[in-house]
Amino acid sequence: MSIRFALVSFVATVVLLLALAGTVSGGTAASTPTIPAETGKDAKMEKATFGAGCFWGVEATFRKLKGVTETAVGYSGGSKEKPTYEEVCTDRTGHAEVVEIEYDPAQITYEELLTVFWENHDPTTPNRQGPDVGSQYRSVVFYHSPEQKALAEKSKETLEKSGKFKRPIVTRIEPAATFWRAEDYHQQYLEKRGLATCHTGLSN
């Protein structure tokens, strides 16, 4: 009787082990996760920084673009640390009013951002956009990589050769400097007030 019991126990153990092996094997195959492609917040974002006059209107223009995920207005290219708006407006700190853009290169390219930049201000007026006068309103591209520098220079050269403007293009192309975020009330200024733009138009 004990031998039979032992044999039955042995067979039951073997069957159980085989069943467990099949479950583990099947479970492993079934539970292998699929790695999704980088989309949305998982995608690698890039930065672009432009100065094209009063940063209120510049920000509003870029915020409308598909693929632009974040914008912030601020000051860059000057000598003073943590400048205030009042200090920048004295025209003595050397800063330009700029918009720093975070964008998804899978949805919008840097070349497309440059096109919007050129089309929405006058790059031929040094230190001025419409009625706004001062070095803080200068036309400038702050590049974040050698690729951005090359693309900015190429697009500027192409625009110069196109004959669109009667005067020389004075836009500066410089390496990205420290970005000092402007005061909160400047962020999305026009959007908060239900305004679409403060664009004054081009003066060829």
Side-chain angles (χ1 to χ4, degrees):
M1 190 70 175
S2 59
I3 296 176
R4 183 179 179 185
F5 179 80
L7 181 60
V8 171
S9 299
F10 175 77
V11 172
T13 302
V14 171
V15 172
L16 179 61
L17 290 175
L18 289 174
L20 288 174
T23 300
V24 172
S25 176
T28 301
S31 62
T32 301
T34 301
I35 300 175
E38 286 188 302
T39 56
K41 293 184 178 180
D42 294 327
K44 183 180 179 181
M45 299 295 120
E46 294 186 9
K47 284 185 180 181
T49 305
F50 301 111
C54 174
F55 49 23
W56 297 341
V58 181
E59 181 182 34
T61 296
F62 281 102
R63 281 186 66 81
K64 296 183 297 185
L65 302 178
K66 180 181 180 180
V68 171
T69 57
E70 293 287 343
T71 60
V73 298
Y75 319 110
S76 194
S79 57
K80 189 180 189 331
E81 292 190 357
K82 300 179 181 179
T84 65
Y85 180 67
E86 289 73 20
E87 289 172 331
V88 171
C89 285
T90 65
D91 202 17
R92 293 197 294 267
T93 69
H95 293 87
E97 290 191 12
V98 300
V99 176
E100 186 174 80
I101 300 160
E102 183 182 89
Y103 68 98
D104 181 355
Q107 296 187 60
I108 188 168
T109 65
Y110 188 67
E111 294 95 320
E112 290 171 320
L113 293 175
L114 284 167
T115 297
V116 173
F117 166 75
W118 295 120
E119 291 180 348
N120 284 274
H121 79 296
D122 186 346
T124 70
T125 52
N127 300 333
R128 177 174 186 168
Q129 286 298 309
D132 297 323
V133 180
S135 62
Q136 70 267 35
Y137 301 115
R138 64 186 180 270
S139 175
V140 57
V141 176
F142 286 107
Y143 59 85
H144 292 264
S145 68
E147 291 75 19
Q148 285 191 357
K149 178 184 179 183
L151 290 170
E153 291 176 340
K154 181 180 178 181
S155 66
K156 178 181 177 181
E157 181 181 357
T158 299
L159 188 59
E160 286 175 327
K161 292 180 178 178
S162 71
K164 179 178 181 179
F165 297 102
K166 298 175 183 178
R167 297 187 294 269
I169 294 175
V170 296
T171 302
R172 297 165 64 173
I173 299 174
E174 304 175 355
T178 301
F179 172 79
W180 302 104
R181 186 182 175 92
E183 296 81 348
D184 286 344
Y185 73 90
H186 286 298
Q187 307 300 327
Q188 301 174 40
Y189 184 90
L190 297 181
E191 185 176 326
K192 292 174 182 175
R193 289 156 181 75
L195 302 174
T197 180
C198 62
H199 182 245
T200 57
L202 300 179
S203 55
N204 294 352

